[in-house]
Amino acid sequence: MLDVWVYQYIPKIFCALAFLVNPVFIYLIFTEKSSKFGNYRFLLLFFALFNLINVIVPLDIHSYRYCFFLILKDGWFVESSEFNFHLMTGRCSLVAASYAILLIHFIHRYLAIHNSSFTKQNFYLYMTFAVFVFALYFGVWHAICYFPGRANIEIRQYIREEFRETYGNDSMDFNMLGALFHEGSDETRFRSWAAVILWTSVSTVSIIMFLILAMMVKNVFKRMISDFFFQIVTKLNKMTVKASRRTSKFQVELLRALIVQTVIPIFISFSPCLLCWYSPMFGIQGFNYFEVSALGVFAFVDPVAIILCLPIFRHRIFRVCRGGSLFSSAKSSSAQSN
């Protein structure tokens, strides 16, 4: 039986922490001045709600010899059925769709620093585009999970003894995604390699797109700094310069927070998943402790990182730590951050 406390309690602990932190994060967003975040706060809300949905259904990843598999360990939809399998693949696809949300944030940040009127006057069109990108990522990942990623009878039999020792149940009774790289038939090995290569490709292409957009945003910031000093030299209105400086500073803070949002899933979700996918190719064991937290920690760590990266949020949280109130006016913290 699975009696190691890491497996039993860490996912539940981070689930509880996610439901504690994300509502606070949402409260902080919508109690700041609307002029501070503008429509961008709705994208942050989208991400916070996504975090909460993402931890409702508990997934477990486990590896054995030349195979890894993923199951729903607890809940109402554990029993093996076509409907429950679609729910499980949908849960996995939500994880992949986090790449889409980050991509949408990067595009919004790029348009914002260009002072584009599109995100201001036609934000509903941008959100429509965001939903489309999200659905595209979700659909592609769901298709990969459903066709090459679905564990067949051969994979279930291969892990049957290990599954019974680990979970105390029969592997035939669970919905399952899996890959078997060696010691299997040609068809099973082909499907396994195809699934992992496709999963890796989607994730890698997304990360490359983040890096490209980050470099584009960085170059724009360099031009903004040059323009700022040019304004000083030409002695523009002092209030305008001051406002531009505050705006530029806040844009830099938002970009820093977005980069942290991108780095976090790479290191605490994507990298452990890579270990899970690729270590069985070489028969390497011992990463199950990392894999158990790969899909649960992110929903808690991400909003905490954003709160700490943005001074307007950080000052309010630290004020609570000093005995103040989180529910008091946000104006004082905003003034301090400026």
Side-chain angles (χ1 to χ4, degrees):
M1 289 293 290
L2 187 62
D3 54 2
V4 181
W5 73 271
V6 173
Y7 290 94
Q8 291 288 357
Y9 296 112
I10 279 189
K12 296 177 181 178
I13 290 172
F14 280 108
C15 177
L17 290 173
F19 272 90
L20 175 65
V21 171
N22 281 280
V24 173
F25 178 55
I26 294 172
Y27 176 81
L28 291 173
I29 294 170
F30 284 91
T31 52
E32 285 294 334
K33 294 179 180 179
S34 59
S35 59
K36 200 72 175 176
F37 285 96
N39 290 325
Y40 187 63
R41 57 184 176 162
F42 293 105
L43 283 178
L44 293 175
L45 172 64
F46 188 13
F47 206 89
L49 294 176
F50 170 82
N51 286 336
L52 293 176
I53 294 173
N54 229 3
V55 295
I56 292 176
V57 182
L59 294 175
D60 193 20
I61 311 174
H62 196 79
S63 58
Y64 168 69
R65 291 178 60 83
Y66 296 103
C67 174
F68 82 86
F69 57 91
L70 180 148
I71 62 168
L72 288 180
K73 189 176 66 174
D74 300 305
W76 297 334
F77 308 106
V78 171
E79 292 78 11
S80 180
S81 71
E82 193 69 16
F83 176 75
N84 289 349
F85 181 78
H86 277 289
L87 287 179
M88 184 181 70
T89 56
R91 168 67 174 86
C92 296
S93 301
L94 283 177
V95 177
S98 62
Y99 293 120
I101 297 177
L102 289 171
L103 179 62
I104 292 163
H105 279 236
F106 267 107
I107 295 174
H108 185 279
R109 185 71 16 241
Y110 182 78
L111 294 174
I113 64 175
H114 274 89
N115 199 27
S116 172
S117 61
F118 181 74
T119 54
K120 297 178 181 179
Q121 300 176 5
N122 299 294
F123 187 72
Y124 67 96
L125 292 178
Y126 185 80
M127 287 303 296
T128 302
F129 164 75
V131 171
F132 171 77
V133 174
F134 181 88
L136 180 63
Y137 267 79
F138 184 94
V140 169
W141 201 272
H142 194 280
I144 298 172
C145 290
Y146 187 80
F147 292 106
R150 188 169 192 169
N152 58 16
I153 298 297
E154 183 178 4
I155 293 176
R156 294 169 184 268
Q157 290 176 341
Y158 183 83
I159 64 169
R160 198 168 192 175
E161 182 178 348
E162 168 71 10
F163 195 93
R164 191 179 299 277
E165 291 179 1
T166 304
Y167 298 97
N169 293 287
D170 191 343
S171 59
M172 297 296 177
D173 298 332
F174 282 74
N175 297 301
M176 187 180 299
L177 297 174
L180 177 60
F181 302 104
H182 302 287
E183 301 180 339
S185 66
D186 291 341
E187 179 185 357
T188 297
R189 287 188 287 111
F190 174 79
R191 289 181 55 179
S192 300
W193 282 93
V196 170
I197 290 173
L198 289 171
W199 284 329
T200 306
S201 299
V202 173
S203 302
T204 304
V205 168
S206 300
I207 293 173
I208 292 173
M209 292 172 68
F210 299 154
L211 294 175
I212 293 173
L213 283 169
M215 292 301 298
M216 293 171 63
V217 171
K218 180 180 177 182
N219 292 333
V220 173
F221 270 123
K222 287 182 179 179
R223 291 198 297 270
M224 288 175 62
I225 293 172
S226 300
D227 292 343
F228 169 69
F229 282 110
F230 177 77
Q231 290 173 359
I232 295 177
V233 172
T234 54
K235 298 180 181 179
L236 290 175
N237 186 279
K238 293 182 179 179
M239 291 299 294
T240 303
V241 172
K242 186 177 180 181
S244 299
R245 182 170 55 192
R246 285 201 300 264
T247 301
S248 298
K249 180 182 177 182
F250 187 61
Q251 293 291 346
V252 170
E253 292 168 354
L254 287 176
L255 177 62
R256 186 188 303 120
L258 182 54
I259 291 173
V260 171
Q261 273 187 285
T262 306
V263 170
I264 286 173
I266 291 175
F267 282 97
I268 69 175
S269 292
F270 181 53
S271 296
C273 284
L274 281 181
L275 288 175
C276 171
W277 297 343
Y278 286 95
S279 59
M281 293 179 182
F282 310 98
I284 300 174
Q285 304 295 305
F287 292 112
N288 288 327
Y289 285 100
F290 295 99
E291 294 159 4
V292 73
S293 61
L295 303 177
V297 179
F298 170 70
F300 161 67
V301 175
D302 178 70
V304 171
I306 299 174
I307 290 172
L308 295 179
C309 282
L310 294 177
I312 56 175
F313 292 161
R314 187 170 64 242
H315 291 320
R316 295 178 66 182
I317 295 298
F318 287 168
R319 187 174 61 201
V320 173
C321 295
R322 292 193 296 265
S325 173
L326 180 67
F327 304 101
S328 58
S329 173
K331 292 182 180 179
S332 61
S333 61
S334 298
Q336 292 175 22
S337 64
N338 290 333

